[in-house]
Amino acid sequence: MKNEVSTVLPEPEAQEKAQVKADGTPFHPDPSHPRRRTGRIVLWCVLLVIFAVAILLVVRHHEDAKKPSTPVAASIAATVATAKKGDIGIYLDAIGTVTPVYTASITSQVNGIVVAVHFTEGQRVNKGDSLVDIDPRPYRATLLQAQGILERDQNVLAQARMDAQRYREAVAGKAVSEQMLADQEKLVLQDMGTVKNDEGTVQYDQVQLDFCHITAPISGRVGLRLVDPGNVVQSAGTTTLAVITQMEPITVIFTIPEDSLDGVQARVRQGAKLPVDAFDRNNQKKIATGMLLTLDNQIDTTTGTVKGRATFDNKNDVLFPNQFVNTRLLVNTLQGVTLVPASAIQHNGQAAFVYVIQQNVAHLRNIKTGVTDNGITQVDGINPGDVVANSSFDKLQDNSKVVVSSTAPPSSSMGSNAP
């Protein structure tokens, strides 16, 4: 038998290299060996970590897929407007009151009973038309008495003048003394005074009789009837028989700020006829158009305003006395200026700006605003023909890409966009 010869190696190396036995049969290590067990545990831990990382990546991928994606530098849809060259008026807005040129409150000047009312409520009357009759009989009798006294005293005066003439002839023939002639001439003067007094009494009584027939002092519209036939009126009373208001023409009184007074006066001194428009209480419907008539001569220190009066033809009675209206006084007209919609102008504190669209890119442009009228504003800083953004200000910024839209997109912000 051959002896088995084994080479002595260190224990670790002998364990690694002892893969076959001496007779050439394979050597199988013991799986329960501690080193083999540790390696398998490590392997499983690595596999678990890899599996956990894979699950985490899958979950994050699904969450990212659910989130809405926001495109970078996406174009913003916005409506636009074009700056134009045109004219715009400088207006002063105020609240006014319709005030008739004339208003007559008719009262009785004599005592008596109303015997007739010649008008109907709301009737149009002309100057001199009959309104009310008061019983004239007592005043007609008084006038007759005064006329009788006047006639008697006129005859007394005539007799005194004849006597004076006789005395002059007698003095010429030295039949009477000159003293008697002088006395008679003084009697003539006394009778002349009496006759003049009688004439005054007759005129007064005639006026009283005329007061019994009341006529319209102006042309206008009569209000509601305030007395009826049979009512007793007094000359010292406060009973109003009728009220007449002139309707055509009519005026509107409004106020002008004292800071704007110089501009208005300058135009008035130039002889300009300044138009005034009257609008309804809601300031939506224009009622009538008139002209500035005059300004008051004093500034109201409590309000810092001065009153102005404008006159209107009021042919169709669209303006009613004491009606409140909104007035617009056209002071001047700016011609050949740049105009844009007021809605296209944004503000950042005291600065105003617009977004000028050039080659589908928005460029912020600072401007200076001027007069605004009916949603149109006069501006400086851009030129006629420039296209400006008119919506989507909550998204627009300088150098933003823009897609021109015919309808304004919904906006989540109503405020102005600051640069």
Side-chain angles (χ1 to χ4, degrees):
M1 292 179 67
K2 292 181 182 181
N3 295 328
E4 296 179 359
V5 181
S6 61
T7 304
V8 179
L9 295 173
E11 184 177 356
E13 296 177 2
Q15 293 177 357
E16 294 176 358
K17 292 183 178 182
Q19 301 296 327
V20 294
K21 294 181 180 181
D23 57 1
T25 61
F27 173 78
H28 297 285
D30 185 3
S32 63
H33 192 276
R35 183 172 180 179
R36 301 296 178 183
R37 213 170 35 245
T38 303
R40 296 175 70 180
I41 293 173
V42 172
L43 178 61
W44 281 106
C45 290
V46 172
L47 293 175
L48 289 174
V49 171
I50 294 174
F51 183 72
V53 171
I55 293 176
L56 181 61
L57 292 176
V58 172
V59 172
R60 287 187 176 181
H61 175 72
H62 284 289
E63 291 179 353
D64 293 340
K66 293 180 180 180
K67 293 181 179 179
S69 59
T70 303
V72 179
S75 297
I76 301 173
T79 58
V80 296
T82 303
K84 298 180 179 180
K85 182 179 180 180
D87 302 338
I88 189 170
I90 301 176
Y91 290 91
L92 293 178
D93 297 333
I95 296 177
T97 303
V98 179
T99 306
V101 179
Y102 298 111
T103 299
S105 296
I106 311 300
T107 58
S108 176
Q109 300 297 310
V110 294
N111 302 330
I113 300 175
V114 176
V115 295
V117 176
H118 300 288
F119 66 89
T120 58
E121 296 175 323
Q123 177 185 344
R124 294 277 186 160
V125 296
N126 295 319
K127 184 177 180 179
D129 289 350
S130 299
L131 297 178
V132 177
D133 282 337
I134 299 174
D135 187 3
R137 292 174 297 177
Y139 301 96
R140 189 178 293 119
T142 303
L143 174 61
L144 187 59
Q145 292 178 351
Q147 290 173 343
I149 295 174
L150 174 60
E151 291 179 2
R152 183 198 63 187
D153 292 338
Q154 285 175 340
N155 291 321
V156 170
L157 174 61
Q159 182 180 2
R161 285 175 174 172
M162 288 189 298
D163 291 341
Q165 181 62 31
R166 293 191 188 100
Y167 284 143
R168 291 191 191 94
E169 296 175 356
V171 168
K174 295 184 179 182
V176 296
S177 63
E178 294 183 359
Q179 181 178 359
M180 295 181 63
L181 175 61
D183 293 341
Q184 187 61 35
E185 289 178 347
K186 296 301 180 183
L187 288 175
V188 171
L189 295 177
Q190 292 177 15
D191 292 338
M192 290 176 60
T194 302
V195 170
K196 185 175 293 186
N197 181 72
D198 294 341
E199 290 175 347
T201 302
V202 169
Q203 292 180 8
Y204 176 80
D205 291 339
Q206 183 64 56
V207 171
Q208 295 297 105
L209 180 61
D210 293 340
F211 281 156
C212 294
H213 179 67
I214 300 175
T215 59
I218 60 173
S219 299
R221 184 173 182 266
V222 182
L224 301 180
R225 188 176 68 252
L226 303 177
V227 294
D228 297 314
N231 293 153
V232 177
V233 294
Q234 303 289 332
S235 61
T238 58
T239 302
T240 302
L241 306 182
V243 178
I244 303 176
T245 301
Q246 178 175 313
M247 302 294 293
E248 301 174 9
I250 204 167
T251 67
V252 173
I253 295 179
F254 58 96
T255 57
I256 297 174
E258 60 178 326
D259 295 338
S260 304
L261 185 58
D262 291 341
V264 176
Q265 285 186 316
R267 295 283 291 158
V268 171
R269 283 193 292 267
Q270 294 172 0
K273 299 295 184 179
L274 303 184
V276 179
D277 294 330
F279 291 80
D280 61 2
R281 183 182 293 269
N282 296 325
N283 206 18
Q284 299 296 324
K285 178 182 178 183
K286 183 167 74 171
I287 302 175
T289 299
M291 292 292 175
L292 179 66
L293 183 62
T294 186
L295 297 175
D296 200 359
N297 59 355
Q298 292 183 353
I299 294 177
D300 189 346
T301 57
T302 59
T303 60
T305 59
V306 61
K307 291 182 179 179
R309 184 189 290 269
T311 180
F312 296 80
D313 292 337
N314 200 33
K315 293 298 183 182
N316 298 322
D317 293 348
V318 292
L319 295 176
F320 208 79
N322 296 334
Q323 177 184 1
F324 286 98
V325 295
N326 291 283
T327 62
R328 299 191 73 200
L329 170 65
L330 178 59
V331 180
N332 205 346
T333 300
L334 301 180
Q335 299 179 348
V337 295
T338 303
L339 306 175
V340 298
S343 57
I345 301 174
Q346 302 298 295
H347 297 274
N348 181 19
Q350 298 296 326
F353 63 93
V354 296
Y355 288 105
V356 178
I357 309 301
Q358 295 177 342
Q359 298 179 352
N360 292 331
V361 177
H363 300 282
L364 188 148
R365 191 79 57 82
N366 290 327
I367 60 172
K368 181 180 179 182
T369 59
V371 181
T372 298
D373 179 34
N374 289 331
I376 303 298
T377 301
Q378 175 259 326
V379 297
D380 294 324
I382 60 175
N383 299 318
D386 288 345
V387 178
V388 297
N390 200 19
S391 66
S392 302
F393 299 112
D394 55 335
K395 300 176 183 178
L396 282 177
Q397 294 182 356
D398 194 18
N399 295 323
S400 296
K401 294 183 179 179
V402 176
V403 175
V404 177
S405 174
S406 59
T407 59
S411 175
S412 61
S413 173
M414 299 301 294
S416 299
N417 183 31

